[in-house]
Amino acid sequence: MCPYGHDGRLLREASQQDGRRIVLRLTPAGEDLRARFAAEQRQGFEHITADWPAEERLRFARLLVKYAEAAAALRKREQG
């Protein structure tokens, strides 16, 4: 096991914008794990909302995307 706990799913690289910073990138194994996780999320969404009208499912999905984008923007602002 890697001392950073990522089991070869991440690569540490120097930032191209600032050599003092480290950037983490997904390896192919990390991309596979991310894709499996996304598929499980999608399956969960479809199961939970299976009896919802299509319009409500679409509206909810759009709001989730909007929320996730706003949360990512907030994290980015907080990181400088």
Side-chain angles (χ1 to χ4, degrees), residues 3-66:
Y4 301 105
H6 56 74
D7 294 331
R9 295 183 184 108
L10 292 173
L11 290 174
R12 292 178 56 167
E13 300 175 350
S15 169
Q16 296 300 312
Q17 289 79 29
D18 182 349
R20 299 170 293 178
R21 298 183 81 177
I22 296 295
V23 176
L24 298 177
R25 301 211 188 278
L26 291 174
T27 64
E31 286 289 350
D32 289 345
L33 183 62
R34 187 205 55 76
R36 285 197 321 261
F37 180 73
E40 288 177 13
Q41 280 185 313
R42 179 70 179 172
Q43 289 172 350
F45 176 85
E46 290 175 2
H47 178 75
I48 291 167
T49 63
D51 61 343
W52 295 15
E55 180 184 312
E56 287 183 4
R57 289 177 73 170
L58 182 58
R59 187 177 330 126
F60 184 67
R62 286 179 176 156
L63 288 171
L64 278 176
V65 169
K66 184 176 181 178

